[in-house]
Amino acid sequence: MDALPTICAHNLGFPRIGRNRELKWALEAYWRGEFDQDELELRGRALRRRHWELQRAAGLDLVPVGDFSWYDQVLDMTTLLGVIPARFGGDGGAVELDLYFRLARGRAPSGSPAPACEMTKWFDTNYHYLVPELSAGQEFRLSGTRLFDQVAEAQALGLRPKPVLVGPLTWLWLARSARERDDRLELLPGLLAVYRQILARLAAQGVDWVQLDEPILALDLPAPWQAAFPDAYSVLENGGVRVLLANYFGPLADNLTLACALPVAGLHVDAVRAADELDAVAERLPSGRVLSVGIVDGRNIWRTDLDAALVRLQVVLTRREGRLWLAPSCSLLHVPVDRTDDDRVPEDVIPWFAFATQKLDEIVLLRHALAGETTATRDAFDASRRALASRRASPRVHRPEVAARVAALRATDEHRARPYGERIGAQRERLQLPLFPATTIGSFPQTAAIRQARSRWRAGEIPEAEYDDFIRAEIANAIREQEALGLDVLVHGEAERNDMVEYFGEHLDGFVFSGNGWVQSYGSRCVKPPIILGDVARPAAMTLDWIRYAQTLTDKPVKGMLTGPVTLLNWSFVRDDQPRADTCLQLALAIRDEVQDLEGAGIAVIQIDEAALREGLPLRHADWGEYLAWAVRAFRIASAGVDDATQIHTHMCYSDFNDIIGAVAAMDADVTTIESARSDDRLLDAFRDFAYPNEIGPGVYDIHSPNVPQAAEMLDRLRRARARVPAERLWVNPDCGLKTRSWDEVRPALTAMVAAARALRAASD
C-alpha cells in the first residue's frame, strides 16, 4: 500500500445518524415491522457510502470504518467479543441483528423480550452507551463479521480504511463485573487474545492502520490499570497492523509519560481540551511514532481560528521533524453533519459555525497551510478571519444589563428562607398527599398527531389559535388519563414541547437554532442542541399559560415543568468566549423568573429538571469541586426564590450519581426523582452510608425499553428503596419522561406502578 503523506489528514469518526436522520427512520421502521433486515442493511450501506464519499471528497488520507453503528459503538465491541448476558439466550455463534437490538432496547422484531442492558453517559458527553455485563468466569470469542464486512465495503470503493475500535482497557473499564470484587483486570489476557484475532483478520484484509480508542487515559486511573497498559499493548504490538492509540476528552496529565511510552505506532491527543499538553507530548513521544493532533474541536460547533491553530501546529511540526497527522479532537459523532443550506440559522451567524463536514474542510486546509500551499488556502483563511471578527463585534453576543444582573447576585439569592426540615410541614399541609405519592417525570407520548400539528403550525399551514386549541385538547387528555390512572401529582404532558432543551432555548434571548443540527443521543434518539451564542435573558413567560390551564382541569396538584440551568447549558452548544459558569448563572436567572411566575399563578409544585448535572462533571476528580460549586449554585439560584409551601422537585437520569450524592443533596430540592431501575437499583447503595436529607423517588421502571413492567417487579423495587429511605420521604415514579413511548405502553405501565404504590401504602398502614 502507498505510504501516507508526511502531513496526513484523517478523522476519528463521522456522525452516523445522517444529515436528515436517515438511520433513525430506518431503524424505527424496521422495529415496527415495516420492512425486513435486508432492506435495513441496504439503507445502512447507502448511508455509510454517502459518508465515506463525503470524507474522500474533503481530501482525507484515511477514512474511519467501524464508526457506523446500528445503535452504539460500545455495544458493537461487546457483541464482537461475544459478551452476551445469559438472559438474552445467545447460542454462542455470531450475534445476529435482532439479538443485538434486544441487548440495546429489550426487544426486537424477533426473539423473546428481556430487560435491556444498562445505559449511561459516554464520559462527559450527552451520548449514551450500553454498559457491557461481565459474568463470572467470562470468556471472549470473536462473534461477528460486521466490522470486516464494512472494511471490505470501503476498500471496494477505493478508500483507505482506518478501522476504529473501542480499546481493550477502555472497554473493560466501562464494563460491569458480576462479582462484588472487581475482577475485571483478571479477564484482560482472554480479552486481548480476541483483540489479537481482530487485528490479524484486519491485517489479512490489507488494513495498515487501526485506531484503538482509549479515552480512559484522560481519567484518574488506579495504579493497576495504569500498569496494565504497557503489558496489554505489548501483546497487541505485533498484530500485523499499526495501532494509533487515541485519547480524547481531556488531558493525559499523570498518564502522559505512560501514553508516550506505549508500544504503539502512533498517539492521538486532544489539542482542544488539553492544549497545554501538546508541546510536552511532542517532546516525549519517540521520534519514530506518529503524533496525531486533534486540533479542531469535535465537541462544539464554533469555527476554528485557523491562524491560531496554524501557529501551534507549525511549532509541533518542527519538533516532529516534518511528520504530523491532523484530525478533530475526538469523533465528530457529537456534532451535526452539515451546516450547508440551513434555513433556520440567521444569515449573519452561519459563518461562525463549523459542523462535521466543515470541520473536515478545516483539517484539510490546515494540512495545505502547513505544507506551504498559501495560494490554495488564502481565500479560506481570509473567510475564517472575517467570520471571527464578525462574531466578536456582533450585538447578538453582549448585553450589559444581563452581566449587571449576574454581578448583583447576593448570597441570600441562593438559599430558601428555611431548611427542608422546617418548610416540609407547610408543603404537606398544602398538598395533602398520601404516603408514597405516585407521579411521572413530566412528558407523555409525543404522538404522530402532535408532531404533525406542530409541523403544520411551524410551516404556517394552520393558524396559531388552531394550534393552541389542539395543544389544550392534548393537555386535557393527559390530565384525564392521569386521573383515571390514579396518580397523585400530575403533569401537563408537554405536548407543546419539541424537546426539553430546544423548547426553552426558543423562548430565551441569546440562543439560535439549526434546522439541520441533529445529533445522536442514543440508538435512534436524536436531539437538536440549541446554540448559545450570546448573553441569555428571558423576554417573557415560557410555560405559564400551559401550566395554569392544566391546573384549572383538576383538583390535584399539577407540576410546573422546567429544564434547569445546568441541563440547558450541558445540552446546548455553548459559547466559548466566556466561562461556562457565567453562562450558567445567566440561565439560572432566566429560570428563576419563570419559577416565580409559576408560583405567583398558584402552582404548588415546580419541577426543575437537571438531567445533565452529572455529565458536566470534569473527568478528573481534582476539578470536581469547582464544577459542582457553580452548578449547585446555579440550581439554587433558579429555585430558591419561592415560599416554604411551594415544593421544588428536580429530576436526574442515566448517569452514575452515587459518587456525587452529596452534591445532589446540596441542591436542596424538596423532592429529587432519579433514574434507578435500568441500573438495577445501584443508586440505592448510595443510601447505605449517606442519609439523604430530603425526599427522593428512585425510578421503578425503565422507560427506554418498550417492555411493560409488572406491578410485582416495581413493588419489589419499592420495598428495597423503603429499606433505605424513610417512608414519608419516598416517592414513586418512572426512571424518566414518557415522550418516546406509546400510550399503549404507558397506560399498563403506569397502572402497574400505581398498583405497586398502593400495595406498599396498604402494607405500611
Side-chain angles (χ1 to χ4, degrees), residues 320-343:
R320 302 304 298 172
E321 300 178 351
R323 299 180 67 245
L324 202 64
W325 284 21
L326 307 181
S329 59
C330 61
S331 169
L332 296 176
L333 171 71
H334 309 286
V335 296
V337 173
D338 193 353
R339 75 171 196 208
T340 305
D341 299 326
D342 196 314
D343 57 5

Side-chain angles (χ1 to χ4, degrees), residues 20 22 95 239 366 402 471 527 596 598 654:
N20 297 310
E22 293 91 336
V95 178
L366 287 166
V402 175
I471 295 297
V527 294
Q596 292 179 342
L598 289 167
Y654 298 101

Side-chain angles (χ1 to χ4, degrees), residues 568-633:
L568 288 170
L569 182 87
N570 286 335
W571 286 358
S572 297
F573 292 122
V574 182
R575 58 190 293 191
D576 58 358
D577 60 338
Q578 71 176 14
R580 291 171 67 88
D582 293 355
T583 303
C584 200
L585 286 178
Q586 295 176 3
L587 290 161
L589 287 170
I591 298 302
R592 182 185 181 95
D593 292 343
E594 190 75 11
V595 168
Q596 292 179 342
D597 278 353
L598 289 167
E599 183 185 48
I603 302 304
V605 181
I606 301 170
Q607 181 169 310
I608 307 171
D609 287 340
E610 286 294 17
L613 178 80
R614 178 69 166 76
E615 80 181 42
L617 200 66
L619 299 181
R620 296 283 181 168
H621 285 76
D623 302 322
W624 283 19
E626 179 184 0
Y627 166 76
L628 288 171
W630 63 254
V632 169
R633 182 184 181 219

Side-chain angles (χ1 to χ4, degrees), residues 67-111:
D67 54 337
F68 176 87
S69 174
W70 290 117
Y71 207 96
D72 165 50
Q73 71 271 11
V74 179
L75 181 61
D76 290 354
M77 196 71 238
T78 300
T79 53
L80 183 60
L81 295 166
V83 179
I84 309 299
R87 66 182 178 277
F88 295 102
D91 61 7
V95 178
E96 49 88 20
L97 195 57
D98 276 4
L99 174 57
Y100 174 94
F101 287 138
R102 289 197 296 279
L103 268 72
R105 56 194 301 270
R107 68 168 58 189
S110 68

Side-chain angles (χ1 to χ4, degrees), residues 440-720:
T440 64
I441 301 309
S443 60
F444 274 109
Q446 286 271 317
T447 63
I450 292 173
R451 293 193 299 270
Q452 184 181 45
R454 183 183 302 121
S455 178
R456 293 183 64 204
W457 168 63
R458 286 189 182 278
E461 296 174 8
I462 59 175
E464 185 165 1
E466 182 180 337
Y467 176 69
D468 288 352
D469 286 344
F470 174 84
I471 295 297
R472 277 190 285 269
E474 289 292 329
I475 290 172
N477 179 66
I479 295 296
R480 286 193 299 272
E481 291 275 3
Q482 292 171 88
E483 289 193 316
L485 288 163
L487 292 165
D488 301 301
V489 176
L490 313 188
V491 296
H492 78 295
E494 303 181 18
E496 82 284 5
R497 302 183 191 182
N498 44 9
D499 174 82
M500 66 180 287
V501 174
E502 185 175 1
Y503 176 84
F504 288 93
E506 289 175 335
H507 289 79
L508 293 169
D509 293 340
F511 284 77
V512 296
F513 291 85
S514 164
N516 301 332
W518 295 103
V519 176
Q520 186 179 23
S521 177
Y522 63 88
S524 68
R525 170 73 171 146
C526 302
V527 294
K528 193 162 48 176
I531 300 165
I532 305 176
L533 55 73
D535 290 335
V536 176
R538 188 195 73 143
M542 302 178 285
T543 68
L544 181 61
D545 289 345
W546 302 122
I547 304 298
R548 185 161 48 192
Y549 171 70
Q551 187 62 82
T552 67
L553 303 174
T554 180
D555 293 330
K556 291 186 175 183
V558 176
K559 289 192 281 190
M561 296 300 306
L562 305 174
T563 301
V566 182
T567 298
L568 288 170
L569 182 87
N570 286 335
W571 286 358
S572 297
F573 292 122
V574 182
R575 58 190 293 191
D576 58 358
D577 60 338
Q578 71 176 14
R580 291 171 67 88
D582 293 355
T583 303
C584 200
L585 286 178
Q586 295 176 3
L587 290 161
L589 287 170
I591 298 302
R592 182 185 181 95
D593 292 343
E594 190 75 11
V595 168
Q596 292 179 342
D597 278 353
L598 289 167
E599 183 185 48
I603 302 304
V605 181
I606 301 170
Q607 181 169 310
I608 307 171
D609 287 340
E610 286 294 17
L613 178 80
R614 178 69 166 76
E615 80 181 42
L617 200 66
L619 299 181
R620 296 283 181 168
H621 285 76
D623 302 322
W624 283 19
E626 179 184 0
Y627 166 76
L628 288 171
W630 63 254
V632 169
R633 182 184 181 219
F635 178 85
R636 292 175 70 135
I637 286 169
S639 62
V642 296
D643 293 336
D644 288 345
T646 299
Q647 189 169 82
I648 296 293
H649 290 220
T650 190
H651 173 68
M652 301 175 186
C653 59
Y654 298 101
S655 284
D656 293 323
F657 291 102
N658 293 37
D659 50 1
I660 62 163
I661 195 69
V664 175
M667 293 165 67
D668 198 29
D670 297 302
V671 180
T672 298
T673 53
I674 196 164
E675 177 272 328
S676 182
R678 182 144 185 168
S679 57
D680 198 26
D681 296 330
R682 275 194 305 278
L683 172 71
L684 299 179
D685 293 341
F687 302 119
R688 287 177 179 167
D689 304 314
F690 183 81
Y692 192 80
N694 298 12
E695 301 183 27
I696 194 157
V700 295
Y701 81 91
D702 171 25
I703 63 87
H704 284 106
S705 170
N707 296 339
V708 174
Q710 300 300 307
E713 172 189 342
M714 289 187 275
L715 180 58
D716 180 60
R717 292 187 186 282
L718 284 171
R719 285 172 174 153
R720 281 184 274 166

